[in-house]
Amino acid sequence: MATAARPIVLKNFINGEWVESASGVAFEDRNPADTRELVGMFPRSTAEDVDAAVRAAADAFKSWRLVPAPKRAEILYRAAEALVKRKDEMARDMTREMGKVLAEARGDVQEAIDMTYYMAGEGRRLFGQTTPSELPNKFAMSTRQPLGVCALITPWNFPMAIPSWKIMPALICGNTAVIKPAEDTPLSTYTLVQILAEAGVPRGVINVVNGSGPEVGAPLVEHPLVAAVSFTGSSEVGRLVSQACAPKLRPCHLEMGGKNILMVLEDANLELAVDGAVWGGFGTTGQRCTAASRVAVHKKIYKEFLDRFVERVKSLRVGDGLDPATDVGPCINEEQLNKVMEYVAIGNAEGAKLMTGGHRLTDGNYANGWFHEPTVFADCSPRMRIAQEEIFGPVVAVMPVDGFEQALEVANDVRYGLSASIYTQDVNRAFQAMRDLHTGIVYVNAPTIGAEIHLPFGGTKETGNGHREAGNAALDFYSEWKTLYVDYSNRLQRAQIDS
């Protein structure tokens, strides 16, 4: 269901102006549901563009860091108000460029709205601390200080929410920023930054440079004037980002892959668990770092759960996300679709039982898009590749387990540690799971997807490096502590008190 929307030709945003790339070359942003539709053209930038953006941000930092935080907050608040007014328009554009169903796109924009309001509020709550000194007539306190220029690299699956998670806390803390959006979804970031500029963010405080990882991402991360890097993407690229930051001891936040599990115990509410498995596994076409791509089910209820789950999955409608009847949209691009198809072949070769799906959709309205059937494999071994490796597509591996202890063992036996879920009516086992699951997020009787912006978001192991996005945790990354002492005695003192 292609739209008649006219494609747009856009530029980089550097030092408060929309400018051409030094390369003079552009790349296409096409609708993954119908690749005949050209959503827009964006500049394929170079290291020269990156340098201009970073230098603009470094120059703007000199004055932006001195703007009182409540005044910075007023700008963010105006931006949030504008986002509210344009929510439906931006959601439709997001569906056109990314493919997720319109209801999910609205949720993506709402997260950006929520984050912008939240961080605007933090402009009056960038609290430090005061504490008694060990010496008389001495005052001691600590305050938050901005870092400088922040390099922000964002993925395509949440093209407005995740940029807002990075931009808003960076700006409210007094930093300036250069953001490189994903090549597949640059329009959403363009709109977000345009709104910030219209809300009054000064020249150079926020900059956008479009292009590929090697051409833009690498020189951005390595630029000598960058003070900190926040990256969301694959673990493989995240490792390279970390290595680039290490020689300069540059703060680096990494949010990477996931292989999340949904554990269904014998006392679970099956209807609730099936619903969680469906939307955890196939929401956003499984293209979430929090997707429930593994389901471990107690053997006592395994067959009943599997029958219900497969029946529900078979009823999901695949199609254009702008169609209200669509449940599951396309894969983001041909490369991602091919990856899904490769893992389906791997699952079959490993001996997993294909219960439904397993094929690319090419007939009729599917002919010009990157569509794949929602796919369920059953009777999987926890060590199969489809149960160990991140697929990032509409494929779920279902595994039988003997009980709670084995479910925990299976849950923790992967290299990622982002999200996990347990379905049970036993409060003791729920609390034990919350304690023993080696993940950054745990859900009880809810799917592994969904995040609230006032809580820390992030994972363990190869999912992250200890930093968190959202909530006050984001402020801890985008600021550093300065401790201050004031001696108001006007006389000489010993540096320490005798014991």
Side-chain angles (χ1 to χ4, degrees):
M1 191 176 76
T3 69
R6 186 177 178 182
I8 54 178
V9 179
L10 298 174
K11 303 176 181 180
N12 290 329
F13 189 65
I14 299 176
N15 200 27
E17 296 181 2
W18 297 101
V19 296
E20 299 284 356
S21 167
S23 72
V25 179
F27 65 89
E28 297 180 340
D29 179 17
R30 289 190 173 272
N31 185 342
D34 187 343
T35 57
R36 295 171 299 179
E37 182 192 0
L38 179 61
V39 177
M41 298 289 293
F42 291 82
R44 186 168 296 284
S45 304
T46 67
E48 183 178 344
D49 301 301
V50 171
D51 183 64
V54 173
R55 292 187 182 279
D59 189 56
F61 177 68
K62 298 172 186 176
S63 55
W64 179 246
R65 70 183 184 86
L66 300 177
V67 174
K71 294 299 181 183
R72 298 195 293 258
E74 290 175 7
I75 298 174
L76 264 60
Y77 186 86
R78 289 196 295 270
E81 295 286 276
L83 287 167
V84 170
K85 293 176 182 177
R86 296 179 60 181
K87 177 178 177 179
D88 194 64
E89 166 204 341
M90 294 184 294
R92 294 185 68 84
D93 281 344
M94 185 184 299
T95 293
R96 289 172 57 223
E97 75 165 352
M98 189 269 165
K100 66 173 67 179
V101 299
L102 189 56
E104 291 186 15
R106 290 193 183 104
D108 195 314
V109 178
Q110 186 62 49
E111 280 202 29
I113 293 169
D114 294 342
M115 181 60 76
T116 308
Y117 274 130
Y118 180 89
M119 287 300 167
E122 290 305 299
R124 292 186 180 271
R125 291 191 296 269
L126 289 176
F127 300 138
Q129 61 178 339
T130 59
T131 184
S133 171
E134 62 185 19
L135 298 174
N137 301 315
K138 192 173 185 180
F139 181 77
M141 64 180 176
S142 63
T143 61
R144 290 186 182 273
Q145 299 290 304
L147 306 175
V149 179
C150 296
L152 313 176
I153 301 176
T154 58
W156 47 260
N157 58 336
F158 285 87
M160 188 166 286
I162 294 179
S164 76
W165 287 11
K166 299 180 187 297
I167 293 173
M168 304 312 169
L171 265 54
I172 203 63
C173 288
N175 303 288
T176 56
V178 178
I179 185 169
K180 188 203 89 67
E183 286 181 90
D184 288 296
T185 55
L187 179 57
S188 293
T189 299
Y190 160 83
T191 306
L192 180 62
V193 170
Q194 181 185 50
I195 285 174
L196 284 167
E198 292 170 355
V201 171
R203 293 167 61 95
V205 170
I206 179 68
N207 304 269
V208 183
V209 183
N210 294 281
S212 71
E215 294 172 333
V216 175
L220 178 58
V221 168
E222 296 168 357
H223 197 286
L225 295 182
V226 165
V229 177
S230 180
F231 167 84
T232 300
S234 71
S235 298
E236 290 72 25
V237 176
R239 190 172 286 107
L240 296 176
V241 171
S242 180
Q243 291 169 354
C245 291
K248 300 179 180 65
L249 304 180
R250 183 175 291 164
C252 174
H253 161 251
L254 303 175
E255 181 57 44
M256 301 173 290
K259 191 64 178 177
N260 313 292
I261 195 166
L262 191 149
M263 302 181 297
V264 185
L265 304 187
E266 74 277 14
D267 64 340
N269 179 323
L270 273 187
E271 183 178 359
L272 194 66
V274 168
D275 191 67
V278 170
W279 298 116
F282 301 105
T284 322
T285 319
Q287 297 173 135
R288 291 175 179 248
C289 55
T290 55
S293 57
R294 300 183 295 154
V295 182
V297 186
H298 196 288
K299 289 180 178 178
K300 289 183 179 179
I301 57 167
Y302 180 78
K303 185 179 185 308
E304 184 179 1
F305 172 89
L306 186 62
D307 290 345
R308 291 193 192 187
F309 180 46
V310 171
E311 182 181 5
R312 280 285 307 280
V313 174
K314 286 181 177 179
S315 71
L316 294 175
R317 179 171 174 177
V318 180
D320 190 318
L322 292 176
D323 184 343
T326 295
D327 297 310
V328 178
C331 295
I332 184 66
N333 53 36
E334 185 176 19
E335 180 182 3
Q336 196 63 31
L337 174 63
N338 288 336
K339 181 180 179 182
V340 171
M341 295 168 65
E342 289 171 8
Y343 272 99
V344 169
I346 289 169
N348 284 321
E350 288 180 314
K353 185 176 181 181
L354 181 62
M355 302 299 296
T356 186
H359 304 94
R360 177 180 180 178
L361 297 170
T362 57
D363 295 336
N365 292 333
Y366 301 123
N368 296 294
W370 311 120
F371 295 99
H372 194 280
E373 293 176 318
T375 300
V376 176
F377 281 103
D379 301 348
C380 298
S381 161
R383 299 306 302 170
M384 287 180 176
R385 289 182 61 189
I386 58 170
Q388 285 284 318
E389 300 174 11
E390 185 176 44
I391 302 172
F392 226 64
V395 180
V396 173
V398 185
M399 303 167 285
V401 292
D402 293 326
F404 175 55
E405 296 298 334
Q406 187 184 11
L408 277 178
E409 181 181 340
V410 169
N412 288 327
D413 189 26
V414 290
R415 62 190 181 109
Y416 302 107
L418 180 53
S419 182
S421 171
I422 182 170
Y423 282 80
T424 181
Q425 298 180 57
D426 186 329
V427 66
N428 292 326
R429 291 195 294 188
F431 271 93
Q432 185 179 344
M434 287 188 281
R435 181 194 67 190
D436 293 343
L437 285 164
H438 195 195
T439 58
I441 307 168
V442 177
Y443 295 85
V444 178
N445 294 326
T448 58
I449 60 175
E452 298 187 30
I453 57 88
H454 50 285
L455 293 167
F457 181 93
T460 63
K461 298 187 280 188
E462 291 191 32
T463 291
N465 64 340
H467 296 293
R468 294 291 186 266
E469 299 209 86
N472 286 333
L475 304 178
D476 291 334
F477 178 74
Y478 290 104
S479 63
E480 58 189 358
W481 289 107
K482 178 177 286 187
T483 300
L484 307 170
Y485 298 100
V486 179
D487 187 335
Y488 53 93
S489 66
N490 292 318
R491 64 177 184 270
L492 295 174
Q493 291 190 95
R494 291 199 308 268
Q496 60 186 7
I497 298 175
D498 294 334
S499 59

